[in-house]
Amino acid sequence: MADDQARGRRRQLDEDEPTTSRGSRDEPRSKIYKGSYSGGSKSDTRAEPPSSDFRAGAAAPRQERREECGPADRGPRGDRFDIVNTRPAELVSKLGKDGRPIRLQTNFFRIKTKPEWRIVHYHVEFEPSIENPRVRMGILSNHASFLGSGYLFDGLQLFTTRKFEQELTVLRGKSKLDIDYTISIKCVGFISTAEPRFLQVLNLILRRSMKGLKLELVGRNLFDPYAKIEIREHKMELWPGYETSIRQHEKDILLCTEIAHKVMRTETIYDIMRRCSQNPSRHQDEFRLNVLDLIVLTDYNNKTYRINDVDFGQTPKSTFSCKGRDISFVEYYQSKYNIRIRDHNQPLLISKNRDKAQKTNASELVVLVPELCRVTGINDNMRSNFQLMKAMGEYTRMNPNRRIDRLRTFNHRLQNTPESVKVLRDWHMDMDQNLTEVQGRVIEQQKIVFHHGKVPSGENADWTRSFRDQKMLTTPSEGIDRWAVIAPERNSYELKILLENLFRAANGMGMKFRSPHEVKIYDDRTATYVRALDDCARMDPKLILCLVPNNNVERYSSIKKRGYVDRAVPTQVVTIKTAKNRGLMSIATKIAIQLNCKLGYTPWMIELPLSGLMTIGFDIAKSTRDRKRAYGALVASMDLQQNSTYFSTVSECSAFDVLSNTLWPMIAKALRQYSREHKKLPTRIVFYRDGVSSGSLKQLFEYEVKDIVEKLDAEYKRASSEPPQLAYIVVTKSMNARFFANGQNPPPGTVVDDVVTLPERYDFYLVSQQVRQGTVSPTSYNVVYSNMGISPDKMQRLTYKMCHLYYNWSGTTRVPAVCQYAKKLATLVGTNLHAIPQNALEKKFYYL
C-alpha cells in the first residue's frame, strides 16, 4: 500500500496532465526504479516447479535443487541486512541545535536486553555429511536441552546467546533411519552489532516471536487473513498487517512497526485470461498486455511473484523432471498440495527475479498456473476510481491517534501471547510497552521572496493566499505576446471564460497576456489536435494551450510528444471540466503560474545565504511501453542568489542498472550551462540523489560517489578552478518511521537526528510538508559524502529551504524541489514521451 502521506496529502492542481475523475490529482504515481545490491549466489533464484521447456526452441534452464522439486523457500535477501558505513570519518557530531524543541512519539519500541547480552556464532558440521538441511536441523533439535531453548540453526550456522565451555563441542546424533552421526560445533566468535548477521538474527527472532499472533507471511511481511476487510463491490479484500524491522540504532536496539494493508483481489489470472478470450484474434496479445508485471499471490505457499512472461507453448499437462522422473504440473499440484487444476489447456506464467538475475546471471525461472495465482495490488484504473479509493481510504488512511492505538494493540498482543513471550525470553530479550520518544526540533518559518517583498511561509507552510497581493518574482518583461490556443468549436464559450479569468489572475500577479492566436477544431480526435498544433507551430509561438474534452491519455501523450520531442514548444493541456469549475479564479491563478514557469521564469524564491551554489536532483522512471528501459532525469539550479533559474536534462538507461551510467554526462551538461550563465563553475554543489534502495547504497557509496568526486576534480582542474565543496545526499521517501506530537502530526520543519537514526550514518529525518488526512511521512536524508564544512544545522536548514521551491504547489513538498522536478520529468518521459525532449527546452519548466 502507498503510505498515508501519498494518500492523504492536499492535492495540488496540475492541470497539465491526465487527471482523475475529480479533475485533479497528486503527482504522477509512477513505478520509480530502485535497484538492489546483493552478494547472493546463483542458487538464490529458484524455479517453481522447473519447466522442461521455457519457450519453444529454448534450452531448459538448469535447476540446482538439493532436496525436492517444486516450491522452494526463498532465502532472505542479503541487502536487507547490509550495514553500510557512510558516516564521514571527520564528522564529530550529526546533532543540530537550532530550532524550537518538540517532544515526539515514534512507531519504534525499545528492545531491552541484559547488560552482558551477546549473540554467539557457531559453525556446525556433520560426519558423515548430510546434504538435506532439514535433516540436519532435525538431528540437532534432539539436543535442544544442551543448546538451550533460544537458538537459531539454518543447517550450517548456529546462533545462540550461550557460550559453550569448549571452543569445539562434539555431540552424537541419530537419524530416523538409525544412522549415527557426529556433530561438531565450532565457535566462530561473537557477532558485532555492526555486522549484517546481527540484524539478520534479530529479525529472525522477531519473526519467530510473531508466529504466536497467527499471522500469514505474504512476501516479506505478516498479515492477518482472519481480520480481512471485504470490499465486495470491487472484488477485493484488505488484509491488515505489520511491516517490522529490528536493528541497532544510536543507543538501543529498536523495533520499527508500521501498520500495513495488503490489497488482495478476489479475481485470478485465469479470470483475466477468460475476459481477454472474448476477442479470439488478439487474445494472446491482450492477455500479455493485462498481466505482464502484475504481482500475484499463490495461496498454496503464500508467496508473491512478478509475472514476466506468458508461455502459450506449455500447459499444465506439460511435464518436468522431479526426483528422477517426469511429472506433469497437474500431477505435481495434486500430489504436493492436493489441488486439482480444472483447465488443463491454460498457458503457463513465467516469473524471473530480473534484478537478481542481472547480478548473478541466474537462469532459474518460476513457472506458475494462472488459476492458482491471485492478483494483488491496484492498477491505474482502480486508482482513478474515486469510489474505490474512498472505500479503501476509510480503512487505510489512519490519523495519528488511530495509528498509535493500533501500535499499542500490536505491542499488547505480542506481550500477552505466551508463545511470543517465550521466544523473547529464551533470547533474554524484552520489549518496552511504550512507544519510544525522541527530542525533535522545528526549524523556523522560511521567508518567501516575491517581486516586491517577502512573506512568511506560515505555520502550515502554505503561502497560496499571498498571491492575492503579491507579484511573481520574475515574468516576461514584454508579457506573453505570441502564443496560441487550440479548442473545439463547440467549446468556444468555455474557452472565452477561461481566457478572461486567466488574464485577470495573471494581471494581478504582474504577468501580462496579449490575445492568443485561436485555432478552432471541429472534432476532438487526437490527429486533429496534432495537425492543429503543427499549424500553430509555423507562427513560432512561445507556448500553445490546448483545451481538451477529457483525460484521454493517448491524446495527452500525442500533444506532449509533438510539442517537446518534435517542435520544442511548451504546451499546456486544460480539460473542459476544469474550465467549467466554479473555483475558476484559483485554477486560473495556478495555470498562470505554470505558464510563467514553462517560459523559464520564477514565481517565487526563498532567502538563500550561500552564493555560488548549485543544487542537483536526480531520479529514474521506468518506461511504461518497455519495462527494460528507463529514463533518468537531472534538474539543477543555476545559483538561486543570482538569476533563480534551473536546467534540466534527460537520458535513457537500463531499468536494471543499479547505478546510472549516464549520470556524469548529465552533471557535466549542467556545469557547462552554469559556466555559460555565470562565467565560472559553481563553488558549492549539493546533490540530492533519489531513486536509491537500501540495497543499492553500498554500490552507490563505493562506486558512484567516488566516480563523481574524481570526475568533478578533473573537470575543475581543466577549468583551472579549485575543486568544489560537495555534499552527496541520498533521499529516501519509502521509510516506515512515523512521528507524533501529542497525538497529532508534527508541524512542517520538524527534524529528528537522534535515537531513531543510525550510528553508521550521517542522517536525519525531516517532516517538510503538511497533510490534512492520515499520518505524515517523514523523509530520510543520508549524507554519504560532504566536504562542505557546514554544521548539521545548516545542512538541515538548507534541505528544508529547498522544499519550498516546487512551483506546482504553493507550499512545501516532501522532498527538495530539484528531486520533485526530476521525478516529474522522468515520469513524463517514461509515461508519455518515450523519447528525449528537445535541448531547446532545457531551461524551461516544460514538464510541469
Side-chain angles (χ1 to χ4, degrees):
M1 293 291 298
D3 54 67
D4 283 315
Q5 161 58 15
R7 291 189 301 266
R9 67 184 175 188
R10 292 170 293 174
R11 294 171 175 243
Q12 71 233 21
L13 181 79
D14 194 357
E15 290 305 323
D16 196 25
E17 62 178 63
T19 59
T20 65
S21 56
R22 299 184 69 185
S24 65
R25 61 170 285 178
D26 293 334
E27 283 303 294
R29 298 168 181 253
S30 63
K31 284 190 176 181
I32 303 299
Y33 164 74
K34 295 188 177 180
S36 61
Y37 173 85
S38 172
S41 65
K42 293 183 182 181
S43 59
D44 287 340
T45 310
R46 299 183 175 95
E48 184 212 337
S51 162
S52 60
D53 183 11
F54 170 39
R55 286 182 190 154
R62 296 181 61 186
Q63 302 301 321
E64 299 181 16
R65 304 289 306 179
R66 290 189 174 178
E67 50 178 306
E68 62 179 346
C69 298
D73 292 333
R74 295 184 218 168
R77 286 174 55 190
D79 59 22
R80 290 186 65 199
F81 307 109
D82 272 352
I83 299 178
V84 186
N85 192 338
T86 59
R87 182 169 178 149
E90 64 276 8
L91 182 70
V92 178
S93 172
K94 64 180 179 183
L95 302 182
K97 299 177 182 178
D98 293 349
R100 172 171 57 87
I102 183 172
R103 197 67 186 167
L104 302 169
Q105 286 182 306
T106 70
N107 60 335
F108 290 82
F109 296 103
R110 187 171 280 105
I111 300 296
K112 296 180 285 186
T113 60
K114 294 182 178 180
E116 69 278 8
W117 185 84
R118 56 190 178 179
I119 296 175
V120 192
H121 177 205
Y122 297 93
H123 181 76
V124 182
E125 290 184 350
F126 290 79
E127 181 62 38
S129 64
I130 304 173
E131 189 174 357
N132 192 325
R134 292 185 183 178
V135 175
R136 295 197 293 266
M137 293 177 191
I139 294 174
L140 189 67
S141 67
N142 296 327
H143 298 277
S145 57
F146 171 78
L147 299 172
S149 51
Y151 77 89
L152 287 170
F153 181 54
D154 65 0
L156 187 64
Q157 313 292 330
L158 173 68
F159 303 98
T160 177
T161 56
R162 179 183 173 187
K163 175 69 171 68
F164 303 144
E165 293 181 2
Q166 303 295 325
E167 290 297 308
L168 178 63
T169 303
V170 179
L171 304 174
R172 309 291 177 185
K174 188 184 290 286
S175 70
K176 292 180 180 179
L177 300 177
D178 208 29
I179 300 175
D180 292 321
Y181 291 96
T182 300
I183 309 170
S184 300
I185 305 176
K186 183 179 180 180
C187 181
V188 177
F190 300 101
I191 299 181
S192 162
T193 57
E195 290 184 61
R197 284 177 301 180
F198 180 76
L199 302 184
Q200 190 172 2
V201 171
L202 289 180
N203 281 276
L204 288 172
I205 295 168
L206 174 65
R207 186 60 55 87
R208 183 174 287 184
S209 71
M210 290 178 68
K211 281 186 177 179
L213 304 184
K214 309 302 181 190
L215 303 175
E216 292 280 0
L217 182 65
V218 181
R220 278 190 196 162
N221 301 312
L222 292 161
F223 297 91
D224 191 350
Y226 303 103
K228 66 184 178 185
I229 302 158
E230 294 187 1
I231 308 178
R232 293 180 179 175
E233 61 271 28
H234 300 290
K235 297 181 179 180
M236 65 169 51
E237 301 169 349
L238 286 177
W239 288 15
Y242 308 97
E243 292 184 26
T244 58
S245 64
I246 183 170
R247 69 182 297 161
Q248 178 70 46
H249 288 261
E250 294 293 348
K251 297 175 183 176
D252 299 289
I253 299 171
L254 300 179
L255 165 63
C256 178
T257 306
E258 169 60 345
I259 308 302
H261 292 84
K262 187 72 175 176
V263 177
M264 308 297 297
R265 284 147 67 176
T266 54
E267 69 174 352
T268 65
I269 295 294
Y270 185 77
D271 296 328
I272 297 176
M273 186 189 75
R274 292 191 64 181
R275 283 205 308 270
C276 295
S277 64
Q278 295 174 3
N279 184 0
S281 62
R282 296 191 66 254
H283 82 277
Q284 289 192 9
D285 292 338
E286 199 170 324
F287 182 48
R288 273 199 174 95
L289 186 66
N290 278 275
V291 303
L292 290 189
D293 276 325
L294 287 181
I295 304 295
V296 297
L297 172 78
T298 47
D299 285 314
Y300 51 81
N301 63 353
N302 272 332
K303 291 187 183 298
T304 55
Y305 303 91
R306 182 184 295 275
I307 299 175
N308 300 122
D309 203 355
V310 181
D311 189 349
F312 290 97
Q314 288 197 96
T315 69
K317 293 182 291 186
S318 302
T319 61
F320 60 93
S321 178
C322 181
K323 295 182 179 179
R325 71 183 185 93
D326 288 344
I327 184 173
S328 70
F329 291 89
V330 175
E331 295 172 292
Y332 173 82
Y333 282 101
Q334 182 69 54
S335 60
K336 178 75 175 176
Y337 298 105
N338 196 27
I339 293 175
R340 183 172 64 88
I341 296 177
R342 293 179 175 83
D343 186 349
H344 292 186
N345 295 314
Q346 59 188 301
L348 298 181
L349 309 174
I350 306 300
S351 178
K352 180 178 181 181
N353 190 328
R354 292 186 176 182
D355 292 340
K356 189 173 290 185
Q358 286 285 319
K359 296 186 288 286
T360 64
N361 296 317
S363 59
E364 288 90 353
L365 305 167
V366 178
V367 182
L368 305 167
V369 180
E371 69 180 59
L372 305 182
C373 298
R374 275 214 285 165
V375 185
T376 67
I378 56 177
N379 55 33
D380 290 337
N381 289 334
M382 292 177 173
R383 286 193 182 98
S384 63
N385 186 328
F386 172 69
Q387 296 300 329
L388 168 61
M389 299 308 291
K390 182 180 178 182
M392 288 176 54
E394 291 177 2
Y395 303 102
T396 61
R397 192 180 297 138
M398 290 179 286
N399 61 35
N401 268 326
R402 186 178 165 200
R403 188 176 294 270
I404 291 171
D405 289 342
R406 289 279 300 274
L407 290 169
R408 287 173 174 160
T409 300
F410 165 77
N411 186 295
H412 180 78
R413 287 180 66 187
L414 206 59
Q415 301 268 21
N416 290 275
T417 303
E419 185 180 338
S420 301
V421 173
K422 182 180 183 303
V423 172
L424 293 175
R425 285 181 179 170
D426 286 344
W427 283 88
H428 309 297
M429 298 168 68
D430 188 23
M431 187 166 70
D432 197 336
Q433 295 184 0
N434 300 314
L435 296 169
T436 299
E437 294 191 356
V438 300
Q439 185 70 33
R441 293 172 290 109
V442 182
I443 300 174
E444 62 183 7
Q445 291 182 33
Q446 300 301 301
K447 294 288 183 64
I448 307 301
V449 181
F450 288 99
H451 186 70
H452 288 307
K454 302 174 183 178
V455 299
S457 60
E459 291 184 1
N460 296 328
D462 182 353
W463 50 94
T464 303
R465 294 186 177 181
S466 299
F467 281 101
R468 294 177 179 177
D469 51 12
Q470 293 289 341
K471 297 185 184 300
M472 288 189 282
L473 183 67
T474 62
T475 57
S477 57
E478 298 179 358
I480 301 181
D481 57 350
R482 196 172 66 251
W483 65 299
V485 174
I486 301 171
E489 175 69 32
R490 63 177 178 272
N491 298 116
S492 296
Y493 176 74
E494 288 83 1
L495 176 63
K496 177 175 176 291
I497 299 300
L498 174 66
L499 292 178
E500 287 177 356
N501 285 282
L502 181 60
F503 294 163
R504 191 181 311 134
N507 189 58
M509 294 185 291
M511 184 179 181
K512 299 189 181 300
F513 277 89
R514 295 186 185 179
S515 297
H517 171 67
E518 295 186 17
V519 177
K520 298 295 177 64
I521 56 178
Y522 297 94
D523 62 70
D524 56 15
R525 291 181 299 177
T526 299
T528 306
Y529 274 95
V530 171
R531 281 196 300 270
L533 200 146
D534 287 338
D535 291 340
C536 292
R538 294 190 182 97
M539 59 173 276
D540 190 26
K542 292 181 179 178
L543 66 89
I544 299 174
L545 186 148
C546 297
L547 191 64
V548 297
N550 52 41
N551 304 312
N552 182 283
V553 176
E554 180 188 357
R555 181 196 300 118
Y556 178 84
S557 297
S558 297
I559 291 172
K560 291 298 177 184
K561 189 167 185 177
R562 185 53 61 106
Y564 300 156
V565 178
D566 301 331
R567 297 289 184 180
V569 180
T571 60
Q572 180 81 14
V573 179
V574 181
T575 62
I576 300 296
K577 185 175 181 180
T578 300
K580 291 180 177 179
N581 196 298
R582 291 181 180 178
L584 189 55
M585 272 305 293
S586 63
I587 292 174
T589 298
K590 297 186 179 185
I591 293 176
I593 294 173
Q594 281 189 341
L595 294 179
N596 190 52
C597 291
K598 290 186 176 185
L599 294 175
Y601 296 90
T602 309
W604 66 82
M605 188 44 59
I606 41 92
E607 292 181 318
L608 194 64
L610 296 177
S611 62
L613 174 67
M614 171 187 280
T615 55
I616 301 175
F618 179 78
D619 209 341
I620 297 175
K622 278 186 176 180
S623 168
T624 55
R625 182 180 294 174
D626 181 357
R627 303 304 288 182
K628 295 179 182 178
R629 297 165 62 189
Y631 294 92
L634 181 142
V635 176
S637 64
M638 300 281 109
D639 193 347
L640 300 179
Q641 270 196 349
Q642 299 294 322
N643 58 3
S644 306
T645 62
Y646 291 79
F647 171 85
S648 64
T649 182
V650 184
S651 69
E652 186 179 333
C653 55
S654 169
F656 310 118
D657 281 341
V658 173
L659 309 178
S660 174
N661 295 325
T662 59
L663 181 55
W664 170 250
M666 299 168 77
I667 295 175
K669 287 181 68 175
L671 291 173
R672 286 193 291 271
Q673 179 64 35
Y674 187 101
S675 180
R676 280 194 291 270
E677 294 186 21
H678 300 287
K679 310 304 178 186
K680 61 180 181 178
L681 291 170
T683 56
R684 301 179 177 93
I685 299 175
V686 178
F687 188 3
Y688 292 102
R689 176 68 153 92
D690 208 341
V692 181
S693 71
S694 59
S696 306
L697 186 59
K698 184 174 182 179
Q699 259 186 302
L700 178 135
F701 181 64
E702 293 179 352
Y703 299 104
E704 183 174 288
V705 175
K706 182 181 178 182
D707 183 60
I708 297 300
V709 171
E710 290 176 352
K711 289 179 176 175
L712 273 174
D713 287 347
E715 182 75 17
Y716 275 67
K717 188 175 182 179
R718 281 193 294 271
S720 301
S721 301
E722 288 292 320
Q725 296 178 3
L726 172 68
Y728 204 104
I729 305 174
V730 174
V731 182
T732 308
K733 300 186 292 292
S734 56
M735 302 296 294
N736 284 335
R738 297 290 183 272
F739 302 122
F740 317 104
N742 296 320
Q744 302 297 321
N745 284 317
T750 299
V751 173
V752 174
D753 54 14
D754 197 11
V755 182
V756 297
T757 50
L758 299 178
E760 71 273 9
R761 297 182 181 180
Y762 174 12
D763 61 336
F764 60 91
Y765 288 99
L766 173 63
V767 176
S768 53
Q769 77 282 25
Q770 173 83 8
V771 297
R772 292 178 179 173
Q773 296 176 312
T775 306
V776 70
S777 296
T779 301
S780 170
Y781 296 89
N782 181 14
V783 185
V784 298
Y785 178 90
S786 176
N787 63 357
M788 293 189 70
I790 63 175
S791 67
D793 276 316
K794 291 181 179 178
M795 187 71 78
Q796 294 164 4
R797 199 181 313 123
L798 175 63
T799 299
Y800 184 48
K801 285 176 179 289
M802 292 300 116
C803 296
H804 291 68
L805 298 174
Y806 184 63
Y807 300 133
N808 246 10
W809 173 241
S810 50
T812 50
T813 49
R814 188 176 171 187
V815 295
V818 284
C819 287
Q820 192 73 13
Y821 289 136
K823 174 189 173 184
K824 180 81 170 168
L825 177 53
T827 303
L828 173 70
V829 178
T831 304
N832 304 108
L833 303 185
H834 307 290
I836 306 300
Q838 293 271 356
N839 292 341
L841 297 169
E842 290 176 339
K843 286 288 293 174
K844 301 175 180 179
F845 290 106
Y846 62 93
Y847 40 86
L848 292 186

